[in-house]
Amino acid sequence: MEKTLEIKNLAVRFRETRILRGVNFCVGKHESLALVGESGSGKTITARSVMRLLPRNMYFEKGEVLINGINVTELQEKELTEIRGRRAGMIFQEPSSYLNPVFTAGSQIAEAIKNGGNFPGSSPLRGEGAGATSKEHRIAQKVEMVRPLTEAQSARMVGVKGRIGRFQRKERVLKMLDGVGLKENVYYQYPHQLSGGMQQRVMIAMALINSPDLLIADEPTTALDVTTAYGIIELLKEMMARYGLSLLFITHDISLAVNFAGRIAVMYAGKVVELASAKEIFSNPLHPYTEKLISCLPERYRTGDRIQVIEGQVPDFKALPQGCAFHPRCPYKMKICLLEDPGEMRKGDSTVRCFRYGNVVETG
Amino acid sequence: METLWKLDNLGKRYVIRSDTGLEEITALEGVNLDVFKGETFGVIGESGSGKTTLGKAMIRLVEPSSGDVYFRGTKITDLTGKELLKARKNFQIVFQDPFKSLNPRMTVGGAVAEGIQAGSRQEKRDRVKGLFEMVGISPERIDEFPHQFSGGEKQRVSIARALSTSPAFIVCDEPTSNLDLSIQAKILNLLVELKEKMGLTYLFISHNLKVVEFIADRIAVMYAGRIVEYGNTEKIIRNPLHPYTKILVEASFFKRVDSDRKKEEQVRRGCGFVSFCPHGKEICYNEKPALQQLEEGHFVSCFRYRESFSGR
């Protein structure tokens, strides 16, 4: 399987505290992977690491984040502009706080069009050096921008030769707006004139206008109504199919993840504790935390019943328990769980970190 | 069954300033409803459908512009001053955002103690401690401030505050929509427990059908300020009659939604849903459908529910 995104043993620190403690997963081409967990489990930090959007006081300790084979943790700030937007786009939970209230939706989408609107393959960066400065060359080599255009990409190209003009830019934005199910007049509207669902669609248009390979969606439907959320989910599915996107989808709602994603990674205290296909995880959860997350869903109970809850709270990163981080809340805990941290174990097609499935101890 | 609340043609209009002068917005229109003692009555609908206005108008946190509200036979809409204050002890509200509904400069114990009138300082303190224990927070924490609490814990404090006047009825305005699913489960359990222990009645407002299905005995579905369907929870979810309810149920359970919901301007005169409705006819544009009873305890407000039903 071709991998669009691969995260290898990623660790992120905040001052002395480790927030991510060895995250491993990959998102294949055209695949959707959902990252599920409670608040404070490290989902958003993982997503932000991919875009290198970490707060200033957080830094990479070790590990790699590879987008199409390029390690983003090693890139310079300038080189990152080739990644952000082009290779990976991101949408966020509250669209209203990510749109600028004093610019129209159209101008904000147009602003995102990179490098004067050149598509991969058409920029002087990618030629045999025609007009490119040595610096640009260096970036081009490092980032390996040369790749053949897909048919879908060429179809979306306007003004291949050099920079595109204002009108072509606008044309492209309008096409994109139509693609995300918005009317033309949204181009001239300000964010406050748009509903939450429409704002999220504008965000999606903005993230996809440079035709990235990977879209990261950080709780894109949490702030929306059920029916609007449904529309956004349908739109994301459609966009995946149309543009051949890979999707990293972050949510705390495991039932949403099951209905939407191909595979699910469950995070707890800065680690992926279980990774399996959506069907498998829902029908046959391996890790006790996954099992508990599923049992929290109210639709599994009848009126008047008590919901089975996860006792205790998400541990503070500053004071993680020794051994398996989940053991204080775990109904199946054994002696070894208090002492050692479980490593990754494979069971069928799933990966799980739990001593119930073997005796692999985490090292390092 | 004892009727606790009776709403008679309740309505609320807001006047707002717009580019063209003053404009009237109907947030709530012609709501007729009975809430029985000891039940959990769910209200569901999207943002702007008037759910919260309904909850607030019932307990007169917003002044209704038309219609009457009766609580245990007393006309709440006529009460003023001290009488209203006295009546208000019986009904409380828990708000959606626990971060905004607690005063950051007041200890949580102080916030809960505000509702308790009788007794010495020590007696009040003991009562607050008792309330904290009831909602599952360590009584030693009553002198802490809201920022020392997590979202779920703050919501517990809000619930303790609502319980401080020993009410008979609590409006729960989306109490779990800002919380994680695992915390939501705990808060829902707490609400169910308190209800059984203290014989409370809830009006539970939410946009999440799965939560309402779990907690409510009966549901009202709201759209554009009107109740479009109401009745027994199970009947409504298994057999939704109004086209909007149908879309809502399908979207909640990830079935295919068959209606194209691109926003058109809302129709003033007719049924508020008609521009999205797959079954709209001429009559829907000109007249407002009344609530009619179809089976025991199942009401719908739609001219064309038969078509909607057979289309399933």
Side-chain angles (χ1 to χ4, degrees):
Chain A
M1 189 173 63
E2 214 177 314
K3 288 167 186 166
T4 306
L5 171 69
E6 192 173 6
I7 298 185
K8 283 186 194 163
N9 203 19
L10 180 69
V12 168
R13 259 178 194 276
F14 167 71
R15 296 191 189 124
E16 292 310 301
T17 320
R18 260 196 183 173
I19 305 291
L20 297 185
R21 309 182 301 139
V23 173
N24 280 310
F25 65 84
C26 61
V27 183
K29 210 172 175 185
H30 310 321
E31 191 200 27
S32 61
L33 180 112
L35 214 49
V36 177
E38 288 170 277
S39 335
S41 57
K43 309 184 297 276
T44 300
I45 296 298
T46 309
R48 288 182 168 253
S49 306
V50 177
M51 297 298 273
R52 279 278 297 275
L53 287 173
L54 288 178
R56 244 178 227 164
N57 48 16
M58 284 192 192
Y59 59 92
F60 292 110
E61 189 185 4
K62 60 175 186 194
E64 292 179 332
V65 178
L66 305 168
I67 299 181
N68 290 336
I70 305 158
N71 188 352
V72 296
T73 60
E74 285 171 355
L75 294 183
Q76 301 291 316
E77 196 62 33
K78 271 219 167 127
E79 296 162 341
L80 278 173
T81 56
E82 289 290 336
I83 296 289
R84 295 186 186 139
R86 280 251 172 78
R87 297 297 178 96
M90 186 160 179
I91 55 174
F92 302 88
Q93 178 172 354
E94 254 179 81
S96 54
S97 46
Y98 288 88
L99 289 169
N100 191 332
V102 299
F103 291 100
T104 60
S107 73
Q108 291 185 64
I109 301 173
E111 192 189 0
I113 298 178
K114 290 230 163 168
N115 200 20
N118 286 313
F119 276 96
S122 66
S123 147
L125 276 185
R126 271 144 249 150
E128 291 301 315
T133 64
S134 59
K135 197 173 172 193
E136 280 170 329
H137 244 315
R138 198 173 62 81
I139 298 173
Q141 273 167 2
K142 194 158 188 176
V143 182
E144 293 174 70
M145 291 303 278
V146 188
R147 54 176 171 163
L149 284 179
T150 62
E151 219 168 89
Q153 274 176 329
S154 351
R156 272 175 287 142
M157 282 169 66
V158 189
V160 176
K161 286 173 192 162
R163 299 170 69 84
I164 61 167
R166 214 162 14 127
F167 295 105
Q168 285 162 320
R169 223 174 236 262
K170 185 175 169 189
E171 199 176 318
R172 229 169 91 191
V173 175
L174 289 178
K175 244 187 202 168
M176 200 68 228
L177 280 177
D178 185 54
V180 295
L182 291 173
K183 286 186 185 155
E184 211 167 280
N185 61 349
V186 173
Y187 187 93
Y188 306 98
Q189 283 182 325
Y190 289 89
H192 77 269
Q193 292 171 299
L194 306 172
S195 69
M198 290 160 95
Q199 287 180 351
Q200 196 58 284
R201 281 169 197 263
V202 169
M203 290 294 291
I204 293 174
M206 209 185 283
L208 296 184
I209 193 115
N210 292 300
S211 48
D213 302 315
L214 175 72
L215 181 67
I216 301 172
D218 188 359
E219 308 238 10
T221 61
T222 311
L224 304 175
D225 273 328
V226 183
T227 43
T228 323
Y230 184 88
I232 296 292
I233 295 290
E234 286 295 291
L235 175 68
L236 286 175
K237 278 185 188 165
E238 189 192 324
M239 291 290 137
M240 276 184 72
R242 194 191 297 174
Y243 294 148
L245 277 177
S246 308
L247 186 73
L248 177 62
F249 185 81
I250 294 170
T251 177
H252 67 264
D253 185 348
I254 196 165
S255 67
L256 176 64
V258 167
N259 280 285
F260 179 40
R263 288 192 304 151
I264 294 182
V266 180
M267 280 196 80
Y268 189 78
K271 279 188 180 184
V272 174
V273 293
E274 184 170 354
L275 179 68
S277 75
K279 270 186 203 146
E280 186 67 24
I281 228 166
F282 205 63
S283 58
N284 181 24
L286 295 177
H287 199 280
Y289 179 60
T290 319
E291 196 185 311
K292 285 285 183 181
L293 268 187
I294 294 170
S295 76
C296 278
L297 299 173
E299 63 260 37
R300 299 173 69 89
Y301 298 87
R302 298 164 64 90
T303 309
D305 284 357
R306 295 290 188 281
I307 303 175
Q308 270 190 43
V309 298
I310 317 178
E311 295 304 330
Q313 284 170 353
V314 182
D316 189 348
F317 279 110
K318 280 178 198 150
L320 284 182
Q322 210 199 341
C324 171
F326 188 62
H327 86 250
R329 307 171 81 182
C330 182
Y332 310 107
K333 65 170 170 264
M334 301 175 285
K335 255 186 201 158
I336 185 169
C337 307
L338 309 179
L339 302 169
E340 303 285 353
D341 204 4
E344 271 180 16
M345 284 159 252
R346 295 200 58 83
K347 191 165 183 293
D349 289 331
S350 319
T351 313
V352 63
R353 284 173 185 271
C354 179
F355 286 123
R356 292 168 79 205
Y357 305 99
N359 257 332
V360 183
V361 174
E362 177 90 328
T363 48
Chain B
M1 250 180 301
E2 191 189 331
T3 307
L4 198 63
W5 288 91
K6 192 171 166 53
L7 310 187
D8 185 17
N9 205 19
L10 189 66
K12 174 71 190 172
R13 285 184 301 278
Y14 289 103
V15 177
I16 58 159
R17 215 167 288 205
S18 73
D19 307 342
T20 50
L22 295 181
E23 203 181 326
E24 219 172 53
I25 290 202
T26 309
L28 206 61
E29 196 183 3
V31 172
N32 292 302
L33 211 60
D34 290 329
V35 178
F36 303 123
K37 190 175 184 273
E39 77 171 340
T40 302
F41 193 90
V43 180
I44 191 157
E46 53 196 69
S47 341
S49 62
K51 316 185 288 288
T52 300
T53 309
L54 170 65
K56 287 188 175 169
M58 264 170 96
I59 60 176
R60 277 188 70 187
L61 276 184
V62 300
E63 217 46 58
S65 15
S66 61
D68 297 316
V69 179
Y70 299 89
F71 176 73
R72 286 184 179 144
T74 321
K75 197 168 174 186
I76 296 293
T77 30
D78 278 352
L79 297 182
T80 49
K82 279 196 175 150
E83 283 176 317
L84 181 61
L85 277 179
K86 221 172 155 189
R88 273 205 177 129
K89 273 187 203 162
N90 291 315
F91 29 89
Q92 288 289 323
I93 183 164
V94 174
F95 294 100
Q96 172 175 5
D97 193 343
F99 295 86
K100 286 181 194 152
S101 57
L102 288 170
N103 185 343
R105 296 187 174 196
M106 204 178 214
T107 62
V108 288
V112 175
E114 267 198 317
I116 306 166
Q117 281 167 345
S120 67
R121 243 181 109 91
Q122 193 54 42
E123 278 166 5
K124 275 190 189 175
R125 242 182 117 76
D126 290 344
R127 172 116 171 82
V128 173
K129 282 185 179 172
L131 285 168
F132 268 52
E133 214 157 307
M134 211 183 285
V135 298
I137 297 180
S138 158
E140 284 137 40
R141 300 186 66 186
I142 63 170
D143 293 323
E144 289 182 15
F145 285 90
H147 71 266
Q148 292 167 289
F149 288 75
S150 70
E153 286 168 342
K154 275 186 212 172
Q155 203 56 288
R156 284 172 195 264
V157 173
S158 305
I159 293 171
R161 180 175 60 181
L163 293 175
S164 66
T165 63
S166 320
F169 174 80
I170 298 180
V171 176
C172 304
D173 188 3
E174 308 226 21
T176 64
S177 62
N178 280 3
L179 305 174
D180 261 349
L181 283 180
S182 50
I183 315 285
Q184 167 178 293
K186 289 181 187 171
I187 297 290
L188 291 178
N189 276 352
L190 175 68
L191 288 172
V192 174
E193 226 162 76
L194 290 172
K195 183 188 153 188
E196 285 173 7
K197 218 187 281 175
M198 308 175 67
L200 293 168
T201 306
Y202 294 134
L203 185 83
F204 194 96
I205 300 167
S206 176
H207 66 264
N208 188 337
L209 192 65
K210 292 171 179 174
V211 172
V212 173
E213 183 192 14
F214 166 71
I215 204 159
D217 305 305
R218 291 194 301 151
I219 316 184
V221 183
M222 292 196 68
Y223 192 85
R226 294 169 66 92
I227 290 181
V228 295
E229 184 165 359
Y230 90 93
N232 180 296
T233 304
E234 209 180 311
K235 270 182 194 155
I236 289 200
I237 290 179
R238 302 281 161 265
N239 180 19
L241 292 174
H242 195 278
Y244 175 66
T245 319
K246 226 179 116 186
I247 289 172
L248 197 67
V249 171
E250 282 168 354
S252 302
F253 294 96
F254 304 102
K255 288 178 201 148
R256 218 181 66 81
V257 174
D258 56 359
S259 135
D260 183 20
R261 277 182 33 89
K262 279 188 184 163
K263 208 125 190 158
E264 302 287 332
E265 73 245 57
Q266 292 210 342
V267 178
R268 276 276 171 112
R269 246 194 320 173
C271 168
F273 188 62
V274 65
S275 45
F276 307 127
C277 186
H279 312 287
K281 271 266 160 75
E282 208 188 327
I283 182 170
C284 305
Y285 286 92
N286 296 321
E287 281 175 50
K288 290 199 168 146
L291 269 174
Q292 46 182 321
Q293 181 161 355
L294 294 174
E295 45 182 326
E296 176 84 36
H298 190 166
F299 295 79
V300 66
S301 138
C302 181
F303 293 118
R304 314 247 319 144
Y305 67 89
R306 278 200 189 81
E307 284 72 11
S308 152
F309 184 58
S310 60
R312 270 171 76 85

